[in-house]
Amino acid sequence: MDEAAARQQVLQRWWDLPKRARRDVHRLSRTGRRHPDQDVAWTAWRWAEVALPPGSPEPGRLRNLVSAAGFWLAIAAGLDGAGAHDPPVPHWLNRRRARRILRAGPPVS
């Protein structure tokens, strides 16, 4: 299996998790904790490694603000091709969520 297919498989496993489990992962990561279910915690950890690969720069506050403004302007102008009812998750938000998950450390027993 090549690297792109492996990354796609990790992303698919993340999106196959129930929405509530993904929301719990994000909520717990804000407080520096991992999800209590080991399978969900490992899936989140692998997703975070794909979303924020080692060595990638962590954007600063100004870059996040500019990125967020551009994201919402693109939705308002209809440039992203998606409807306002189902907007895509912005990349800056994924990086921030991934950074929180990685800071909590790998889910080892």
Side-chain angles (χ1 to χ4, degrees):
M1 181 182 304
D2 65 341
E3 185 177 335
R7 289 172 49 95
Q8 185 62 35
Q9 184 179 13
V10 168
L11 294 174
Q12 187 61 48
R13 286 186 62 202
W14 171 251
W15 289 110
D16 285 345
L17 287 175
K19 186 175 184 176
R20 181 180 176 110
R22 292 191 314 267
R23 188 178 27 221
D24 287 345
V25 166
H26 297 314
R27 182 180 49 83
L28 291 166
S29 69
R30 284 189 203 121
T31 60
R33 296 182 295 162
R34 295 176 214 78
H35 196 277
D37 182 340
Q38 288 291 316
D39 291 333
V40 172
W42 274 112
T43 301
W45 175 262
R46 289 182 187 109
W47 169 81
E49 289 180 321
V50 169
L52 189 70
S56 64
E58 291 190 20
R61 184 178 302 257
L62 179 61
R63 184 173 174 189
N64 278 347
L65 291 174
V66 170
S67 179
F71 171 75
W72 290 110
L73 285 174
I75 287 178
L79 298 175
D80 65 345
H85 301 291
D86 190 23
V89 176
H91 296 294
W92 58 269
L93 185 56
N94 276 340
R95 286 193 305 260
R96 184 173 69 189
R97 288 175 172 170
R99 186 171 48 243
R100 286 179 182 153
I101 292 168
L102 292 173
R103 283 184 184 153
V108 291
S109 302

